Amino acid sequence: MVIASRNARKEWGYVLVTCSHGPHQHRFQIADAVIVARQLGATLVMPTIKEGLTEPISKFDDIYNVKHFIATLEGVVRIVGRLPEDLRNVNHTSVELPHKITKAEIDNKIRPIFVKSSVIVLNKFLLSMKDVKDERDPEIEAIRCLVQYKALQFQPQIEKLGNRLNNRMKEAAQSLGGKYVAVDYRSTDKACGQRTDNVFTMPKGCLSPLDLGLLLQSHGFARETAIYLTQTRLDESFDPLLKLYPIVITKEYSMPFNEENQFLYSGMTQFELAIDFYICSHSDVLVPIHSSTFYTALAGERIKQGFTHMLVPRLLRIAREAPEATSLTLGVPRIVTKRLHPAYSCLCEQGMSKALALVPSSPTSR
């Protein structure tokens, strides 16, 4: 199946995109930006990255491999490093983008704006729970697969550091005969659980450091288990966890001194999130404390790498006389056991080959 030459006309106009909230969100945001630019027949300007209001805007190549990104999307969308000089100081129209945008939404909502301004900025991505099963378009799905599971590759320095930290974790675990577990846990998750006789209830769905330790212990993780926490650094509140699991490692503890200033104290959260994403996608076991886009993106990356050993918290009722009371256990996610994650359809030999066949292999086919 070949895409029709509806975009054979000369390309005009530009789409800018500012990504935010870490690599797990970038995958969805950039995929939508590529889809929008392609549908409009526009040129995509190399994405920029923004985290908090007080943080500087990062260049795309601070986090990602630019050459790989451009080469992977050759023939899908035209990409330039920056706007032409005569357009840089012009006010550009900001556009809100629904989650998993469709061609109809692009044509009906975005194209009229684009026609008037010829330069639009995508910097407001609206998450939603809409079901798009009946709206799936083979071309769009192919592009999503291409961006999320092939085009976005971390720049070499981040991969090198991630591999170094990953190897340290494996060595720490193997030296004591234990496993290496990455736990997506940050300080905002603390002090919500209530324990009684080593059984903890989860009225608010979050864990204290001690409850995290008890959860891992209840699932059979030995004291010798090496744990990587996405928490940047430990304080005294983590002492109860350390009594149960003394090998708890964070970025601050494990990062080489000469790279701390560059990655931990640069004032740019994106570096820390990229390192967390890389390590969590390569660990022996992943335990995500919350169901989130971070976990969803991580699960896809782990499925791609073949690291499907993931355990997710599950709430269970613990007393008939108190039906509202729940305890937490760990279980293999249904997205793995039932192969429900989109990565499976993207990466299966037949599915990926069919999907990518819908994407032209050279710019001349546009």
Side-chain angles (χ1 to χ4, degrees):
M1 181 177 181
V2 179
I3 296 177
S5 58
R6 56 173 173 75
N7 288 322
R9 65 180 182 278
K10 181 179 179 180
E11 291 185 350
W12 62 280
Y14 296 86
V15 172
L16 295 89
V17 55
T18 301
C19 305
S20 58
H21 302 300
H24 54 297
Q25 293 279 18
H26 299 168
R27 279 154 169 71
F28 304 108
Q29 294 166 349
I30 293 175
D32 278 343
V34 170
I35 289 165
V36 168
R38 179 181 174 82
Q39 182 68 10
L40 294 175
T43 296
L44 179 70
V45 179
M46 191 64 65
T48 56
I49 301 171
K50 178 74 172 174
E51 181 56 35
L53 295 175
T54 60
E55 293 190 15
I57 290 181
S58 305
K59 295 180 180 178
F60 190 74
D61 60 4
D62 286 339
I63 306 295
Y64 296 104
N65 186 324
V66 169
K67 289 183 178 179
H68 178 80
F69 180 73
I70 294 174
T72 303
L73 294 176
E74 183 181 0
V76 179
V77 66
R78 180 171 181 260
I79 302 173
V80 296
R82 56 182 180 175
L83 280 173
E85 190 171 351
D86 60 328
L87 293 176
R88 291 176 200 166
N89 297 322
V90 177
N91 289 330
H92 306 132
T93 305
S94 179
V95 177
E96 290 186 344
L97 215 61
H99 182 49
K100 289 193 173 181
I101 193 164
T102 63
K103 288 181 179 178
E105 289 172 328
I106 296 172
D107 289 336
N108 295 334
K109 298 178 182 179
I110 298 180
R111 188 178 297 279
I113 300 172
F114 178 70
V115 168
K116 290 181 180 180
S117 64
S118 76
V119 178
I120 58 173
V121 182
L122 309 178
N123 57 9
K124 298 177 182 177
F125 296 89
L126 307 178
L127 293 178
S128 72
M129 300 302 292
K130 72 176 183 179
D131 187 356
V132 295
K133 288 182 179 179
D134 294 333
E135 305 171 33
R136 283 181 178 171
D137 179 278
E139 181 184 345
I140 282 184
E141 292 304 306
I143 293 173
R144 288 196 196 285
C145 289
L146 195 63
V147 173
Q148 293 179 24
Y149 300 112
K150 190 172 181 182
L152 289 178
Q153 185 179 88
F154 288 125
Q155 56 106 322
Q157 191 175 7
I158 288 179
E159 287 203 346
K160 182 179 178 180
L161 177 59
N163 283 327
R164 189 182 306 167
L165 300 184
N166 188 55
N167 289 335
R168 285 189 180 185
M169 292 298 304
K170 289 182 180 294
E171 290 169 4
Q174 291 171 0
S175 65
L176 294 173
K179 292 184 177 181
Y180 158 30
V181 180
V183 182
D184 179 27
Y185 184 98
R186 294 175 176 82
S187 57
T188 52
D189 301 328
K190 293 190 302 183
C192 298
Q194 299 176 352
R195 278 178 295 101
T196 304
D197 298 328
N198 285 347
V199 176
F200 44 91
T201 61
M202 300 299 298
K204 298 180 183 180
C206 49
L207 291 169
S208 70
L210 175 56
D211 289 335
L212 171 60
L214 292 173
L215 176 61
L216 295 173
Q217 195 178 63
S218 69
H219 200 75
F221 285 99
R223 179 177 172 82
E224 294 76 22
T225 300
I227 300 173
Y228 175 83
L229 287 186
T230 52
Q231 173 80 17
T232 300
R233 52 190 61 86
L234 302 180
D235 55 40
E236 63 277 3
S237 68
F238 286 88
D239 289 347
L241 173 62
L242 291 169
K243 288 181 180 179
L244 295 175
Y245 292 97
I247 313 174
V248 177
I249 297 175
T250 65
K251 289 183 289 296
E252 183 181 56
Y253 177 85
S254 58
M255 192 169 292
F257 178 77
N258 63 335
E259 291 175 319
E260 282 186 351
N261 287 336
Q262 180 179 356
F263 290 101
L264 288 186
Y265 306 115
S266 64
M268 297 174 66
T269 311
Q270 298 295 336
F271 285 135
E272 294 193 36
L273 292 172
I275 293 166
D276 283 339
F277 192 92
Y278 190 88
I279 294 176
C280 287
S281 63
H282 288 78
S283 61
D284 294 336
V285 184
L286 172 68
V287 178
I289 294 304
H290 293 299
S291 177
S292 63
T293 52
F294 188 81
Y295 161 57
T296 301
L298 264 181
E301 188 67 16
R302 289 182 67 89
I303 290 168
K304 181 182 82 173
Q305 301 286 345
F307 303 140
T308 55
H309 196 172
M310 294 175 274
L311 297 171
V312 298
R314 292 177 179 172
L315 288 172
L316 299 175
R317 293 185 178 181
I318 60 176
R320 291 182 181 178
E321 61 274 14
E324 74 282 355
T326 54
S327 68
L328 205 62
T329 187
L330 292 174
V332 179
R334 292 181 70 249
I335 59 172
V336 172
T337 58
K338 302 293 185 181
R339 299 177 67 88
L340 299 177
H341 196 285
Y344 283 109
S345 58
C346 280
L347 298 169
C348 74
E349 183 177 349
Q350 184 179 15
M352 181 59 109
S353 61
K354 283 185 176 180
L356 297 185
L358 298 176
V359 180
S361 58
S362 66
T364 56
S365 60
R366 287 199 42 136

